[in-house]
Amino acid sequence: MNAPAAESKVIDSFKMHVAGIESADLEQLHALSVSVGWPLRSEDLQFLRECGHGYVARDEIGRLTGSAMWFPHGDDFATIGMVITSPRLQTNGAGRWLMDHVLSDCQGRDLRLNATRAARRLYHSLGFQPVRTIYQCQGIARHPIDVITPSEQPVVRRLEGEDLVAVVELDAGAFGVSRAALIGKLFAQSIGYGLFRGGRLYAFALCRPFGRGHVIGPVVAETDADAIAVIRQHVAAHENQFLRLDTPVETGTFATFLSQSGLTVFDTVLAMSRRGKGRADVVPGSNLYGLASHALG
């Protein structure tokens, strides 16, 4: 069990105070994310606040110097994200202090996060273990290449409201736990395409405004061919625009398709997990081709 985190801490010769992230001004949160090179819009930050809980650190004159959030999915599982400390405080314990507050809230839950290189040592010290690498693929989208047509022609169409239940079920199987509330929120602000066989949903991809342009995710499919089939409409719709997709897939037909469509590997993060009560599978399945975001998984 984690010891209660202190409500204030002296860092870099001045005292910091913790507050709920809902108290933070969006402009300050945006400035904090920009300070570490994260191209999030104010709308993206507000969406994260609506989906989760968290904390900010303030200095003695009210400036934001750090943040950390967690996003619950059921009673036993959560993802962690938006862990930011201003560059000059990264080595002074501010990140761990904020993480102590998050972990106190999340006691007993299985946890998953995506760690930047700078944060991996911190998360390892807190008991998180590496799972797999996530590839941040992005760029100016090019018209998608033609792929070999399978002998069985699947039906790919735009998703409608009545498809949400099937999307939630398919996502739960790939992600490891149900995140119905999150998928419902994403569904409402995204355009989605689904692949159907015999009237049953086998693959889907959502796409929404995010960061410098649009992001495709989550993406769930059984095969590379099915994953390509549901994302190619998004790639075509955003030709000559900035597009991003975060994926655990490094090689094969799917990775090649992304690269040839202008979405090359820009950076990587390391997916890490920490066991809580052990009632949820903390390792996502092979059917997860695209994340909703680094923070949300």
Side-chain angles (χ1 to χ4, degrees):
M1 180 177 295
N2 296 297
E7 296 303 307
S8 63
K9 181 178 177 66
V10 176
I11 296 176
D12 195 26
S13 78
F14 58 90
K15 182 174 285 190
M16 308 285 296
H17 297 273
V18 71
I21 198 164
E22 67 281 355
S23 69
D25 182 85
L26 274 178
E27 290 185 3
Q28 288 184 306
L29 275 177
H30 184 257
L32 181 66
S33 67
V34 169
S35 74
V36 293
W38 292 7
L40 299 174
R41 306 172 305 154
S42 294
E43 295 91 338
D44 302 325
L45 295 167
Q46 180 58 29
F47 181 78
L48 290 174
R49 291 204 299 188
E50 292 171 359
C51 292
H53 314 280
Y55 299 94
V56 292
R58 298 181 184 275
D59 66 15
E60 292 171 318
I61 60 173
R63 295 174 300 186
L64 290 192
T65 56
S67 67
M69 293 193 70
W70 62 282
F71 306 91
H73 307 291
D75 296 328
D76 301 326
F77 181 83
T79 57
I80 292 174
M82 276 295 293
V83 182
I84 303 173
T85 55
S86 59
R88 68 191 181 92
L89 300 180
Q90 286 176 355
T91 60
N92 292 322
R96 186 177 186 112
W97 177 52
L98 286 165
M99 280 294 295
D100 285 343
H101 282 83
V102 167
L103 294 177
S104 179
D105 289 349
C106 294
Q107 287 186 34
R109 292 178 184 264
D110 290 336
L111 301 173
R112 193 185 303 162
L113 55 78
N114 291 299
T116 62
R117 291 177 182 85
R120 289 173 191 176
R121 181 177 295 182
L122 167 63
Y123 297 137
H124 183 73
S125 73
L126 292 170
F128 286 85
Q129 299 300 315
V131 176
R132 61 186 181 183
T133 300
I134 303 297
Y135 300 88
Q136 181 178 330
C137 301
Q138 63 184 49
I140 303 301
R142 297 195 293 266
H143 189 79
I145 61 171
D146 293 329
V147 294
I148 298 174
T149 304
S151 56
E152 177 193 0
Q153 288 286 347
V155 175
V156 177
R157 64 166 173 81
R158 185 162 170 173
L159 295 170
E160 305 295 343
E162 60 267 23
D163 300 312
L164 177 57
V165 172
V167 168
V168 167
E169 182 179 353
L170 206 62
D171 177 79
F175 192 73
V177 295
S178 177
R179 44 183 184 169
L182 171 63
I183 296 301
K185 286 183 169 65
L186 291 171
F187 200 86
Q189 63 172 236
S190 302
I191 291 175
Y193 286 93
L195 182 148
F196 296 81
R197 292 188 178 95
R200 177 185 171 190
L201 181 69
Y202 278 83
F204 74 87
L206 303 183
C207 183
R208 69 188 190 280
F210 182 86
R212 293 171 57 190
H214 284 73
V215 64
I216 302 175
V219 180
V220 175
E222 292 187 351
T223 66
D224 282 18
D226 286 357
I228 291 169
V230 291
I231 72 167
R232 63 181 296 111
Q233 296 278 3
H234 295 306
V235 175
H238 296 94
E239 187 176 3
N240 297 321
Q241 300 175 35
F242 185 86
L243 195 58
R244 172 175 168 176
L245 191 152
D246 299 304
T247 180
V249 180
E250 179 183 10
T251 60
T253 307
F254 181 76
T256 299
F257 177 83
L258 291 181
S259 179
Q260 293 178 340
S261 298
L263 279 65
T264 56
V265 176
F266 172 77
D267 200 359
T268 62
V269 293
L270 183 64
M272 305 183 76
S273 66
R274 190 174 98 156
R275 182 70 66 180
K277 295 178 182 178
R279 287 190 284 178
D281 180 9
V282 297
V283 180
S286 60
N287 291 0
L288 188 67
Y289 276 80
L291 278 61
S293 71
H294 285 171
L296 299 170

